Amino acid sequence: MAYKKFTHSVAQLRPDTRFNSKLVSKFINGIMLDGKKATATRVFYNAMDIVEKRVKDVPPLEVFEAAINNAKPNVEVRSKRVGGSNYQVPMPVNRKRQQSLAFRWILDAVRKKAGRPLSERLAQEISDAYRGEGAAVTTRENVHRMAEANKAFAHFAW
């Protein structure tokens, strides 16, 4: 009896319903906790409604995309052990990791704040990142500053 080889297929990510964007769909999946996608979707769309009121003249999807781009790091430091000592080696970040780090930093910043509904905090962080401010952009600048400080060890990059 011959066995059929099991092939694992990854489900295709579908664009969200309001903006028809896969980027938004990925971000909603990042917001989601305990499989509650409807709640995460509602939080994101409420946040985008707030952003639309705050940032006039620019569509909310463009504000969101610009905020993500402003939070994306170009370089990061990674530990590398050379001859018994560890060095922080600056390395370029690939596009997929840039996006996931930007998502993570924005969501971490939103979850650290307290006292207001999640959608309001998210809207605040997105509009701050759009203007080049906020905790996620500060994290990006700190990562870039560390990479700049350690560029003497760039020759250890693998």
Side-chain angles (χ1 to χ4, degrees), residues 11-76:
Q12 200 67 353
L13 183 70
R14 295 188 180 167
D16 72 303
T17 53
R18 188 193 280 187
F19 298 108
N20 198 29
S21 167
K22 288 188 178 186
L23 183 70
V24 169
S25 199
K26 282 183 187 179
F27 193 76
I28 288 172
N29 285 343
I31 295 171
M32 179 172 57
L33 296 173
D34 298 329
K36 298 191 175 188
K37 190 162 191 166
T39 305
T41 304
R42 187 172 58 249
V43 164
F44 181 78
Y45 289 157
N46 288 344
M48 295 315 286
D49 291 339
I50 295 168
V51 166
E52 190 172 20
K53 291 173 189 165
R54 284 188 186 162
V55 182
K56 306 262 193 284
D57 306 330
V58 184
L61 182 61
E62 287 182 27
V63 172
F64 174 69
E65 289 171 350
I68 295 297
N69 287 333
N70 288 344
K72 283 182 181 179
N74 297 322
V75 290
E76 67 180 343

Side-chain angles (χ1 to χ4, degrees), residues 121-138:
R121 292 178 284 166
L122 180 60
Q124 182 67 47
E125 188 63 34
I126 288 172
S127 56
D128 285 349
Y130 172 71
R131 291 190 304 270
E133 304 166 357
V137 177
T138 304

Side-chain angles (χ1 to χ4, degrees), residues 64-133:
F64 174 69
E65 289 171 350
I68 295 297
N69 287 333
N70 288 344
K72 283 182 181 179
N74 297 322
V75 290
E76 67 180 343
V77 291
R78 290 196 166 168
S79 283
K80 175 136 171 107
R81 187 168 178 86
V82 177
S85 54
N86 287 319
Y87 295 104
Q88 296 291 322
V89 180
M91 305 202 49
V93 184
N94 69 27
R95 284 187 295 127
K96 213 171 174 183
R97 182 159 167 79
Q98 283 180 348
Q99 187 182 68
S100 65
L101 284 173
F103 285 178
R104 188 180 315 154
W105 292 341
I106 288 174
L107 291 173
D108 284 347
V110 168
R111 289 186 177 130
K112 281 181 185 171
K113 296 176 188 169
R116 293 183 312 179
L118 185 65
S119 56
E120 288 180 20
R121 292 178 284 166
L122 180 60
Q124 182 67 47
E125 188 63 34
I126 288 172
S127 56
D128 285 349
Y130 172 71
R131 291 190 304 270
E133 304 166 357

Side-chain angles (χ1 to χ4, degrees), residues 77 105 135-148:
V77 291
W105 292 341
V137 177
T138 304
T139 304
R140 171 187 181 260
E141 289 169 356
N142 290 341
V143 167
H144 281 188
R145 202 173 297 121
M146 279 182 59
E148 182 68 26

